[in-house]
Amino acid sequence: MSSQTFSSYLMGAESLLVQCAEILLQRGHTVRGVISDNADIAAWARSRSIPVLSPGKGLAERITEDFDWFFSIANLRIIPDAVLAKARQGGVNFHDGPLPRYAGLNAPNWALLNGESQHGVSWHRIEGGVDEGRLLAQRFFDIAPGATALELNTRCYEAAIESFPEVLDRIEGGTAGGEEQDLSQRTYFGKHDRPEALALVDWSADADAAVRLVRALDYGANYPNPLHL
Protein backbone atom coordinates (compact mmCIF):
# COMPACT_ATOMS: atom_id res chain seq x y z
CA MET A 1 0.00 0.00 0.00
CA SER A 2 1.20 3.50 -0.77
CA SER A 3 1.70 5.97 2.04
CA GLN A 4 -0.81 8.32 0.45
CA THR A 5 -3.55 6.51 -1.44
CA PHE A 6 -6.18 8.27 -3.51
CA SER A 7 -9.27 7.70 -5.61
CA SER A 8 -9.61 8.39 -9.33
CA TYR A 9 -11.63 8.22 -12.51
CA LEU A 10 -9.97 7.29 -15.81
CA MET A 11 -11.10 8.29 -19.29
CA GLY A 12 -9.79 6.99 -22.60
CA ALA A 13 -10.28 4.67 -25.54
CA GLU A 14 -7.08 2.62 -25.84
CA SER A 15 -5.55 -0.30 -23.96
CA LEU A 16 -3.00 2.05 -22.38
CA LEU A 17 -5.77 3.04 -19.96
CA VAL A 18 -6.00 -0.56 -18.73
CA GLN A 19 -2.24 -0.80 -18.20
CA CYS A 20 -2.18 2.40 -16.15
CA ALA A 21 -5.26 1.37 -14.19
CA GLU A 22 -3.57 -1.90 -13.25
CA ILE A 23 -0.57 0.06 -11.96
CA LEU A 24 -2.91 2.23 -9.87
CA LEU A 25 -4.59 -0.83 -8.37
CA GLN A 26 -1.28 -2.56 -7.68
CA ARG A 27 -0.18 0.48 -5.68
CA GLY A 28 -3.29 0.37 -3.54
CA HIS A 29 -5.26 3.19 -5.11
CA THR A 30 -8.99 3.15 -5.80
CA VAL A 31 -10.37 3.41 -9.34
CA ARG A 32 -13.94 4.59 -8.79
CA GLY A 33 -14.88 4.40 -12.45
CA VAL A 34 -13.76 4.19 -16.06
CA ILE A 35 -15.20 6.42 -18.77
CA SER A 36 -14.94 4.77 -22.18
CA ASP A 37 -16.91 3.47 -25.14
CA ASN A 38 -14.26 0.87 -25.92
CA ALA A 39 -15.75 -2.62 -25.45
CA ASP A 40 -12.45 -4.21 -24.39
CA ILE A 41 -11.83 -1.55 -21.74
CA ALA A 42 -15.39 -1.93 -20.48
CA ALA A 43 -14.99 -5.70 -20.23
CA TRP A 44 -11.75 -5.33 -18.28
CA ALA A 45 -13.34 -2.82 -15.88
CA ARG A 46 -16.29 -5.07 -15.20
CA SER A 47 -13.93 -7.97 -14.54
CA ARG A 48 -12.42 -5.77 -11.83
CA SER A 49 -15.85 -4.70 -10.52
CA ILE A 50 -15.15 -1.13 -11.60
CA PRO A 51 -18.16 0.91 -12.83
CA VAL A 52 -18.14 1.86 -16.53
CA LEU A 53 -19.62 5.13 -17.76
CA SER A 54 -20.21 6.11 -21.36
CA PRO A 55 -18.75 9.45 -22.42
CA GLY A 56 -21.11 12.11 -23.69
CA LYS A 57 -24.11 14.06 -22.53
CA GLY A 58 -24.74 14.26 -18.82
CA LEU A 59 -21.43 12.72 -17.81
CA ALA A 60 -20.89 15.01 -14.84
CA GLU A 61 -24.34 14.21 -13.48
CA ARG A 62 -23.64 10.48 -13.85
CA ILE A 63 -20.54 10.75 -11.67
CA THR A 64 -22.30 10.78 -8.34
CA GLU A 65 -19.34 11.07 -5.97
CA ASP A 66 -16.30 13.24 -5.60
CA PHE A 67 -12.85 11.75 -6.10
CA ASP A 68 -9.24 12.88 -5.93
CA TRP A 69 -7.71 12.66 -9.41
CA PHE A 70 -8.94 12.47 -12.99
CA PHE A 71 -6.69 10.71 -15.51
CA SER A 72 -7.09 11.29 -19.25
CA ILE A 73 -5.18 8.48 -20.97
CA ALA A 74 -5.22 8.06 -24.77
CA ASN A 75 -8.35 10.17 -24.73
CA LEU A 76 -9.36 12.41 -27.63
CA ARG A 77 -12.70 13.51 -26.21
CA ILE A 78 -13.28 16.88 -24.59
CA ILE A 79 -13.50 16.60 -20.83
CA PRO A 80 -16.37 18.73 -19.48
CA ASP A 81 -15.33 21.34 -16.92
CA ALA A 82 -18.03 20.01 -14.62
CA VAL A 83 -16.32 16.61 -14.62
CA LEU A 84 -12.89 18.05 -13.82
CA ALA A 85 -14.45 20.15 -11.06
CA LYS A 86 -15.36 16.93 -9.25
CA ALA A 87 -11.70 15.92 -8.95
CA ARG A 88 -10.55 17.32 -5.61
CA GLN A 89 -6.85 17.36 -6.53
CA GLY A 90 -7.05 17.93 -10.28
CA GLY A 91 -6.55 16.18 -13.58
CA VAL A 92 -3.60 14.59 -15.39
CA ASN A 93 -3.32 13.98 -19.13
CA PHE A 94 -1.04 11.68 -21.11
CA HIS A 95 0.41 13.19 -24.30
CA ASP A 96 2.26 11.15 -26.93
CA GLY A 97 4.84 13.83 -27.66
CA PRO A 98 7.50 15.94 -25.97
CA LEU A 99 5.93 19.13 -24.64
CA PRO A 100 5.92 21.97 -25.37
CA ARG A 101 7.52 21.21 -28.75
CA TYR A 102 4.83 18.82 -30.06
CA ALA A 103 1.47 19.83 -28.60
CA GLY A 104 -1.84 18.83 -30.17
CA LEU A 105 -2.65 15.72 -32.18
CA ASN A 106 -0.62 13.07 -34.00
CA ALA A 107 2.69 14.11 -32.48
CA PRO A 108 4.57 10.94 -33.54
CA ASN A 109 3.55 11.46 -37.18
CA TRP A 110 4.74 15.06 -37.22
CA ALA A 111 8.00 14.12 -35.52
CA LEU A 112 8.70 11.63 -38.31
CA LEU A 113 7.70 14.12 -41.01
CA ASN A 114 10.08 16.66 -39.49
CA GLY A 115 12.96 14.21 -39.43
CA GLU A 116 13.42 14.22 -35.66
CA SER A 117 16.00 11.85 -34.23
CA GLN A 118 14.44 11.87 -30.77
CA HIS A 119 10.88 11.81 -29.46
CA GLY A 120 9.20 11.52 -26.07
CA VAL A 121 6.00 11.42 -24.07
CA SER A 122 4.62 13.75 -21.41
CA TRP A 123 2.30 13.58 -18.42
CA HIS A 124 0.90 16.98 -17.47
CA ARG A 125 -1.71 18.67 -15.34
CA ILE A 126 -4.99 19.46 -17.12
CA GLU A 127 -5.11 23.24 -16.95
CA GLY A 128 -4.94 26.25 -19.24
CA GLY A 129 -5.05 25.59 -22.98
CA VAL A 130 -4.65 22.27 -24.77
CA ASP A 131 -1.47 20.49 -23.60
CA GLU A 132 -0.30 23.60 -21.72
CA GLY A 133 -0.45 22.28 -18.16
CA ARG A 134 2.45 21.88 -15.76
CA LEU A 135 4.62 18.83 -16.43
CA LEU A 136 4.70 15.91 -14.03
CA ALA A 137 6.86 13.44 -15.96
CA GLN A 138 8.49 13.06 -19.36
CA ARG A 139 10.37 10.23 -21.00
CA PHE A 140 12.62 10.80 -24.02
CA PHE A 141 14.03 8.21 -26.40
CA ASP A 142 15.80 7.94 -29.74
CA ILE A 143 13.74 7.25 -32.84
CA ALA A 144 14.96 4.01 -34.38
CA PRO A 145 16.31 4.34 -37.93
CA GLY A 146 13.54 3.66 -40.42
CA ALA A 147 10.83 3.67 -37.75
CA THR A 148 7.26 3.92 -39.01
CA ALA A 149 4.34 5.71 -37.38
CA LEU A 150 3.11 2.39 -36.02
CA GLU A 151 6.49 1.59 -34.50
CA LEU A 152 6.91 5.05 -32.97
CA ASN A 153 3.41 4.92 -31.50
CA THR A 154 4.27 1.55 -29.97
CA ARG A 155 7.39 3.06 -28.40
CA CYS A 156 5.26 5.91 -27.00
CA TYR A 157 2.94 3.30 -25.46
CA GLU A 158 5.90 1.63 -23.79
CA ALA A 159 7.28 4.96 -22.56
CA ALA A 160 3.89 5.87 -21.10
CA ILE A 161 3.84 2.70 -19.00
CA GLU A 162 7.47 3.24 -17.97
CA SER A 163 6.88 6.83 -16.84
CA PHE A 164 3.42 6.56 -15.23
CA PRO A 165 4.89 5.38 -11.89
CA GLU A 166 6.84 8.66 -11.76
CA VAL A 167 3.53 10.53 -11.87
CA LEU A 168 2.20 8.39 -9.05
CA ASP A 169 5.37 8.92 -7.03
CA ARG A 170 4.78 12.66 -7.18
CA ILE A 171 1.09 12.41 -6.30
CA GLU A 172 1.75 10.03 -3.42
CA GLY A 173 4.57 12.23 -2.16
CA GLY A 174 2.59 15.46 -2.33
CA THR A 175 4.83 16.97 -5.03
CA ALA A 176 2.38 16.97 -7.95
CA GLY A 177 2.49 20.72 -8.53
CA GLY A 178 4.54 20.18 -11.66
CA GLU A 179 6.90 22.34 -13.70
CA GLU A 180 5.72 25.14 -15.97
CA GLN A 181 6.23 24.63 -19.68
CA ASP A 182 8.24 27.15 -21.69
CA LEU A 183 5.41 28.04 -24.04
CA SER A 184 7.72 30.16 -26.19
CA GLN A 185 8.97 26.80 -27.53
CA ARG A 186 5.47 25.51 -28.22
CA THR A 187 4.39 24.09 -31.56
CA TYR A 188 0.79 22.95 -31.99
CA PHE A 189 -0.66 20.50 -34.53
CA GLY A 190 -4.43 20.58 -34.90
CA LYS A 191 -7.09 18.10 -35.90
CA HIS A 192 -7.19 19.25 -39.51
CA ASP A 193 -3.45 19.72 -40.07
CA ARG A 194 -2.17 17.51 -42.87
CA PRO A 195 1.11 17.00 -44.76
CA GLU A 196 1.70 19.35 -47.67
CA ALA A 197 0.38 18.61 -51.16
CA LEU A 198 -2.32 16.22 -49.88
CA ALA A 199 0.46 13.86 -48.74
CA LEU A 200 1.50 13.18 -52.34
CA VAL A 201 5.14 12.34 -52.92
CA ASP A 202 7.04 15.09 -54.71
CA TRP A 203 9.42 13.07 -56.91
CA SER A 204 11.46 16.18 -57.68
CA ALA A 205 12.16 16.84 -54.00
CA ASP A 206 14.76 15.38 -51.69
CA ALA A 207 14.56 11.57 -51.44
CA ASP A 208 14.82 11.69 -47.64
CA ALA A 209 11.67 13.82 -47.50
CA ALA A 210 9.78 11.22 -49.50
CA VAL A 211 10.95 8.43 -47.20
CA ARG A 212 9.95 10.45 -44.12
CA LEU A 213 6.48 10.97 -45.58
CA VAL A 214 5.99 7.26 -46.21
CA ARG A 215 7.21 6.30 -42.74
CA ALA A 216 5.04 8.95 -41.08
CA LEU A 217 1.91 7.59 -42.74
CA ASP A 218 2.65 3.89 -42.25
CA TYR A 219 0.32 2.31 -39.66
CA GLY A 220 0.49 -1.17 -41.11
CA ALA A 221 -2.55 -3.10 -42.26
CA ASN A 222 -4.52 -3.29 -39.02
CA TYR A 223 -4.70 0.27 -37.68
CA PRO A 224 -6.44 3.36 -39.08
CA ASN A 225 -4.29 6.28 -40.16
CA PRO A 226 -5.42 9.49 -38.38
CA LEU A 227 -3.87 11.60 -41.15
CA HIS A 228 -5.79 9.82 -43.89
CA LEU A 229 -7.25 12.47 -46.17
Side-chain angles (χ1 to χ4, degrees):
M1 293 287 289
S2 303
S3 58
Q4 184 175 325
T5 58
F6 57 83
S7 59
S8 64
Y9 267 81
L10 284 67
M11 183 173 181
E14 303 292 341
S15 61
L16 178 59
L17 181 150
V18 172
Q19 298 298 321
C20 292
E22 286 286 2
I23 294 172
L24 280 165
L25 295 172
Q26 290 165 11
R27 292 175 71 137
H29 301 298
T30 301
V31 177
R32 295 210 185 280
V34 167
I35 304 163
S36 182
D37 54 9
N38 180 294
D40 291 335
I41 292 175
W44 168 84
R46 294 187 180 105
S47 75
R48 286 292 214 157
S49 299
I50 296 172
V52 180
L53 284 72
S54 298
K57 186 176 180 180
L59 177 59
E61 290 73 21
R62 287 182 278 123
I63 298 175
T64 57
E65 56 189 346
D66 291 339
F67 53 96
D68 296 312
W69 288 92
F70 184 93
F71 292 98
S72 171
I73 303 174
N75 170 51
L76 298 181
R77 290 179 177 272
I78 295 174
I79 305 165
D81 290 340
V83 171
L84 288 174
K86 288 179 176 285
R88 288 183 288 252
Q89 301 299 318
V92 176
N93 180 62
F94 168 70
H95 181 67
D96 60 356
L99 293 174
R101 181 68 179 87
Y102 278 89
L105 298 176
N106 307 315
N109 306 74
W110 292 108
L112 291 174
L113 281 166
N114 291 335
E116 302 285 2
S117 60
Q118 188 181 71
H119 195 60
V121 300
S122 307
W123 294 92
H124 65 89
R125 299 288 298 262
I126 302 175
E127 58 191 1
V130 176
D131 297 333
E132 290 185 354
R134 290 165 290 170
L135 295 167
L136 295 176
Q138 291 187 294
R139 183 62 57 89
F140 298 93
F141 48 85
D142 293 336
I143 297 176
T148 65
L150 176 60
E151 292 165 340
L152 185 53
N153 272 276
T154 299
R155 183 66 187 95
C156 287
Y157 184 105
E158 295 169 347
I161 296 171
E162 293 165 3
S163 55
F164 187 56
E166 298 173 22
V167 177
L168 300 187
D169 288 343
R170 297 190 68 162
I171 293 176
E172 293 165 0
T175 59
E179 289 73 48
E180 298 284 349
Q181 297 186 43
D182 179 1
L183 297 181
S184 69
Q185 303 299 312
R186 174 180 168 89
T187 302
Y188 179 83
F189 298 91
K191 178 179 180 180
H192 300 293
D193 287 335
R194 295 291 185 272
E196 295 180 358
L198 301 178
L200 296 175
V201 174
D202 182 355
W203 298 107
S204 65
D206 179 69
D208 287 341
V211 171
R212 290 198 304 270
L213 176 63
V214 172
R215 290 166 52 208
L217 299 178
D218 184 357
Y219 274 83
N222 298 318
Y223 295 92
N225 185 338
L227 291 183
H228 186 267
L229 300 174

